[in-house]
């Protein structure tokens, strides 16, 4: 189950997520509506099947301890009997405080995911983001008091900035985080960052090469992390179960404004604005076809670097692969971009930076 909290303290210059800075006046209405949505959609049968909860945003802890506590209470009231093995909470350094510890400590399988994005002050500022590197380190220390399962998010591919890899080895040696997500900066329409690029004040991040990812992978491998998904690294036993569920195409519910879920071959997107969701506008729904699920299978499984794409599983789910698909897979193996191991195909080191091209070539 995914819960979207659409509030942030301030808006980062590059952000394309649905998040509202400084909208504290709307928090009570959000919590009340979320309570109704949770109670209405999570029937006892469904609640009994929820295995992971991911509270994302926005920045969920921008609600502050009292309202964040209400949010957790709303969820745990309905999920009391669920076999939940993992709770993930996204948070940002400026809003993570020790006041939150008593609220989260008892959650089973608690993971805290901190949006640090960069490890030096000047790089955080270059991105048009609030906060400092010291705040990030302090927040990680405070998070480690709640759970050993702490992760950080980083942004790669900023043409003017060196890779964060140069600080990462020291960082993870000093602070024993167990998970790192590292995504490339992408240019989102109608953001200040896009305007800066347009005005020549920032270089277009689309021009960045894959080097940052290789350097981060090398630094984290030296520290004992496994590179298990194109953009995700974990110490052994600390992969994100919730996100593995997405990559394995498991059903999930999306609650809150702009949240998307997939359940029994129907993709459901809640209204994209807080106002629309509060007003009870209906969700957009799409019946997924077998062909769509097949494409998603190919795309998502190749993202999993050790597991890869298993043609036997593909056949069990969708029937025998088409001659075009088997020919495309063989072509990629011959070109050295995929590695074949029995019925499994995995991206090679050479294929990793070309993953989008490799995947597109399979359709
Ligand atoms: S903290 Fe995250 S969601 Fe909020 S504005 Fe920044 S990038 Fe967007």
């Amino acid at each position: 189950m995914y819960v979207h909290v659409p509030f942030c303290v301030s808006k980062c210059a590059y952000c394309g997520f649905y998040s509202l800075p400084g909208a504290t006046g709307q928090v009570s209405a959000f919590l009340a509506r979320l309570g109704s949505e949770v109670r209405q959609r999570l029937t006892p049968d469904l609640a009994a099947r929820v295995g992971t909860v991911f509270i994302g945003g926005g920045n969920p802890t921008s609600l502050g301890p009292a309202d964040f506590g209400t949010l957790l209470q709303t969820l745990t009231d309905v999920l009391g009997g669920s076999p939940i093995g993992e709770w993930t909470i996204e948070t940002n350094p400026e809003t993570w405080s020790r006041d939150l510890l008593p609220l989260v400590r008892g959650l089973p399988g608690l993971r805290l995911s901190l949006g640090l994005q960069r490890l030096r002050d000047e790089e955080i500022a270059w991105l048009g983001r609030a906060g400092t590197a010291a705040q990030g380190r302090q927040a990680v220390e405070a998070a480690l008091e709640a759970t050993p399962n702490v992760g950080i998010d980083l942004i790669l591919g900023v043409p003017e900035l060196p890779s964060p890899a140069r600080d990462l080895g020291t960082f993870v040696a000093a602070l024993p985080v167990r998970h790192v997500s590292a995504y490339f900066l992408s240019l989102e329409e109608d953001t200040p960052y896009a305007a800066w690029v347009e005005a020549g004040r920032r270089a277009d991040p689309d021009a960045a090469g894959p080097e940052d990812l290789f350097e981060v992978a090398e630094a984290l491998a030296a520290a004992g992390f496994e590179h298990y998904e194109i953009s995700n690294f974990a110490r052994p036993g600390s992969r994100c179960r919730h996100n593995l569920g997405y990559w394995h195409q498991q059903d999930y519910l999306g609650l809150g404004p702009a949240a998307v879920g997939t359940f029994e071959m129907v993709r459901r997107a809640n209204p994209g604005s807080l106002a629309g969701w509060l007003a009870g506008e209906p969700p957009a729904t799409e019946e997924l076809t077998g062909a769509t699920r097949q494409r998603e299978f190919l795309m998502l499984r190749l993202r999993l670097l050790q597991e890869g794409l298993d043609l036997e599983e593909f056949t069990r789910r969708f029937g025998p692969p088409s001659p075009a698909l088997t020919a495309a897979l063989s072509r990629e193996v011959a070109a050295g971009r995929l590695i074949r191991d029995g019925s499994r195909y995995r991206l090679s080191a050479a294929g990793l930076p070309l993953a989008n091209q490799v995947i597109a070539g399979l359709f």
Side-chain angles (χ1 to χ4, degrees), residues 176-247:
V177 297
R178 292 191 177 176
H179 197 277
V180 177
S181 296
Y183 286 90
F184 281 85
L185 179 64
S186 64
L187 208 53
E188 302 293 336
E189 277 180 24
D190 300 325
T191 58
Y193 207 96
W196 296 344
V197 170
E198 184 71 35
R201 290 174 54 198
R202 295 286 188 278
D204 188 339
D206 286 349
E211 296 77 15
D212 279 10
L213 183 62
F214 288 129
E215 290 176 24
V216 164
E218 199 177 317
L220 290 174
F225 282 72
E226 296 165 337
H227 191 179
Y228 73 102
E229 194 268 348
I230 290 177
S231 301
N232 286 277
F233 304 81
R235 292 193 192 275
S238 299
R239 298 180 182 192
C240 176
R241 276 182 54 187
H242 183 86
N243 286 342
L244 282 167
Y246 292 141
W247 296 315

Side-chain angles (χ1 to χ4, degrees), residues 16-344:
F17 295 115
Y18 182 60
S19 73
L20 305 165
T24 46
Q26 292 177 287
V27 168
S28 301
F30 164 77
L31 290 172
R33 172 81 179 92
L34 185 69
S36 347
E37 186 176 27
V38 168
R39 286 186 291 275
Q40 184 205 342
R41 292 184 58 201
L42 271 173
T43 58
D45 279 358
L46 219 45
R49 290 174 54 191
V50 175
T52 63
V53 179
F54 194 109
I55 306 175
N59 171 11
T61 54
S62 68
L63 295 177
D67 287 328
F68 187 68
T70 304
L71 170 80
L72 287 180
Q73 193 62 52
T74 302
L75 300 178
T76 50
D77 279 352
V78 176
L79 293 169
S82 308
I84 297 175
E86 181 187 280
W87 283 78
T88 300
I89 299 169
E90 284 188 333
T91 177
N92 275 347
E94 71 277 14
T95 60
W96 180 258
S97 73
R98 289 186 167 82
D99 296 342
L100 293 159
L101 295 180
L103 300 174
V104 300
R105 260 196 185 122
L107 296 171
L110 176 65
R111 301 176 67 248
L112 292 171
S113 176
L114 282 134
L116 268 50
Q117 313 311 349
R118 283 280 164 163
L119 305 175
R120 295 194 183 199
D121 290 350
E122 64 277 14
E123 298 182 8
I124 295 168
W126 181 263
L127 285 169
R129 190 176 161 86
T132 64
Q135 270 179 331
R137 284 192 297 274
Q138 284 156 12
V140 170
E141 282 167 7
L144 285 164
E145 291 177 28
T147 174
N149 266 326
V150 174
I152 59 170
D153 289 358
L154 297 174
I155 287 181
L156 310 180
V158 186
E160 298 90 339
L161 302 182
S163 160
R166 71 199 200 287
D167 298 316
L168 205 48
T170 324
F171 187 94
V172 298
L175 295 166
V177 297
R178 292 191 177 176
H179 197 277
V180 177
S181 296
Y183 286 90
F184 281 85
L185 179 64
S186 64
L187 208 53
E188 302 293 336
E189 277 180 24
D190 300 325
T191 58
Y193 207 96
W196 296 344
V197 170
E198 184 71 35
R201 290 174 54 198
R202 295 286 188 278
D204 188 339
D206 286 349
E211 296 77 15
D212 279 10
L213 183 62
F214 288 129
E215 290 176 24
V216 164
E218 199 177 317
L220 290 174
F225 282 72
E226 296 165 337
H227 191 179
Y228 73 102
E229 194 268 348
I230 290 177
S231 301
N232 286 277
F233 304 81
R235 292 193 192 275
S238 299
R239 298 180 182 192
C240 176
R241 276 182 54 187
H242 183 86
N243 286 342
L244 282 167
Y246 292 141
W247 296 315
H248 287 144
Q249 294 179 297
Q250 289 170 5
D251 280 350
Y252 65 101
L253 298 177
L255 302 167
V260 177
T262 300
F263 189 71
E264 293 179 345
M265 293 295 277
V266 176
R267 185 147 297 147
R268 168 192 163 120
N270 271 355
S273 74
L274 179 62
W277 177 75
L278 287 174
E281 282 175 13
T285 55
E286 177 198 357
E287 294 265 354
L288 299 177
T289 63
T292 304
R293 289 308 252 176
Q294 237 182 74
R295 273 199 305 278
E296 290 177 351
F297 179 92
L298 297 172
M299 191 175 73
L300 294 169
R301 292 307 174 89
L302 276 183
R303 294 193 64 91
L304 296 170
L305 299 181
Q306 279 101 46
E307 199 179 313
L309 181 171
D310 181 5
L311 265 199
E312 280 180 7
E313 186 183 351
F314 179 97
T315 305
R316 278 196 303 278
R317 289 188 54 186
F318 306 109
S322 67
L325 174 57
T326 45
L329 288 168
S330 302
R331 202 169 51 238
E332 293 298 337
V333 171
R337 291 186 286 257
L338 288 181
I339 296 167
R340 182 176 176 188
D341 180 8
S343 61
R344 285 185 189 277

